[in-house]
Amino acid sequence: MPRPRSLRGLLAMDNFRLELERRKGRRDQIKQSLDNARKDLLECKRAIRICEKAIEIVKIVGLETQKQLEYHLSEQVSLALASVFDDPYQLKVIFQEKRGKTEAELLFERDGVSMRPIGSVGGGAIDIASLGLRLAYWSMRQDKRTRPLFLLDEPFARLKGEDANRRALNLLRQLSAKLGIQIIMISDERIPREDIIENADRVFLVTQRNGVSKVKQL
């Protein structure tokens, strides 16, 4: 009877060794997983630091771009307004963060008072500011695939007074020559025809009679 007990003991010892080896293998796997996890953690921390630095750089570049954009837009539009009006408004650009996006609010300013253009100032000033914004956008874009051509349909429809309309037409002529932009404009006669001819390379008069349009170069 002692011998069978010895066999059972040997079997138990063998099973113990097998379990021990199995657990050692499991321990080594866990250790390797921990080492890999530590390496991944270090890489993640390094990537986070790089991303944080990149975000800071993007913020700095964004703020600098906003400043340049604010200056460019304000300068272009304010110069256009000053060319037409004796007591002009100045354009003020304010950048704001809304719903995770940066939005630009355009305000008119005069004598230290800021106001929203719509509903606060005359339509003529808004027309001139709109032209200034188009020119500012075009000068910043500088897309060589796009021809420097502006098609304007009564751009100064709300501008009152012969003097202001004469100044606006002169502004277009100067901008066309300075920036190399071809301007084709449809407009009614808000100033004497002689002034229109003087400020344009070509002028075409369109008349309509009995549903038939006739075009004549002046």
Side-chain angles (χ1 to χ4, degrees):
M1 296 301 294
R3 193 169 181 179
R5 287 198 298 269
S6 179
L7 287 174
R8 285 198 296 271
L10 290 174
L11 290 174
M13 184 64 68
D14 289 340
N15 291 334
F16 178 77
R17 290 194 183 98
L18 290 173
E19 180 65 19
L20 180 62
E21 292 299 323
R22 187 183 68 81
R23 296 201 176 195
K24 284 182 179 180
R26 179 58 179 162
R27 179 201 63 188
D28 293 339
Q29 290 178 355
I30 294 173
K31 184 178 179 181
Q32 185 62 42
S33 298
L34 286 174
D35 291 340
N36 293 336
R38 291 190 183 97
K39 292 178 181 179
D40 292 341
L41 181 60
L42 290 175
E43 289 296 326
C44 289
K45 289 182 177 179
R46 188 178 297 110
I48 289 173
R49 288 196 296 269
I50 293 173
C51 289
E52 288 175 345
K53 290 181 180 179
I55 291 173
E56 289 300 320
I57 293 173
V58 169
K59 286 182 178 180
I60 293 172
V61 173
L63 289 174
E64 187 62 29
T65 302
Q66 287 181 7
K67 289 179 182 178
Q68 294 181 6
L69 184 60
E70 178 183 353
Y71 173 77
H72 189 73
L73 293 177
S74 299
E75 181 186 40
Q76 292 280 359
V77 175
S78 297
L79 285 174
L81 290 168
S83 299
V84 177
F85 301 102
D86 293 324
D87 187 18
Y89 295 99
Q90 290 185 331
L91 182 70
K92 186 176 181 181
V93 183
I94 299 177
F95 290 96
Q96 297 176 331
E97 291 286 339
K98 292 184 178 180
R99 297 179 295 276
K101 296 181 180 179
T102 301
E103 298 181 2
E105 184 176 11
L106 305 180
L107 301 175
F108 275 7
E109 186 176 65
R110 186 165 64 185
D111 299 329
V113 179
S114 299
M115 62 199 76
R116 289 183 173 85
I118 304 299
S120 301
V121 302
I126 295 176
D127 288 343
I128 299 298
S130 177
L131 174 65
L133 287 172
R134 292 193 191 107
L135 291 168
Y137 170 74
W138 179 85
S139 63
M140 287 187 297
R141 185 178 178 184
Q142 290 293 315
D143 188 349
K144 295 181 179 180
R145 296 172 299 177
T146 303
R147 294 187 60 186
L149 171 65
F150 275 26
L151 295 174
L152 306 177
D153 185 5
E154 296 194 10
F156 311 124
R158 296 176 292 179
L159 188 60
K160 298 179 180 179
E162 283 191 9
D163 188 49
N165 276 274
R166 189 179 290 107
R167 291 183 182 183
L169 194 59
N170 182 59
L171 172 64
L172 282 180
R173 180 178 61 81
Q174 292 182 16
L175 291 172
S176 175
K178 182 178 179 181
L179 300 177
I181 301 175
Q182 182 182 8
I183 298 176
I184 301 176
M185 183 177 74
I186 301 172
S187 182
D188 53 8
E189 295 185 79
R190 294 176 172 271
I191 58 176
R193 189 173 297 178
E194 293 76 13
D195 292 330
I196 298 176
I197 296 174
E198 181 181 351
N199 286 281
D201 296 325
R202 294 182 184 180
V203 178
F204 297 90
L205 177 65
V206 181
T207 58
Q208 189 179 70
R209 186 174 182 180
N210 298 326
V212 179
S213 297
K214 293 184 178 182
V215 180
K216 176 182 177 184
Q217 183 174 348
L218 302 180

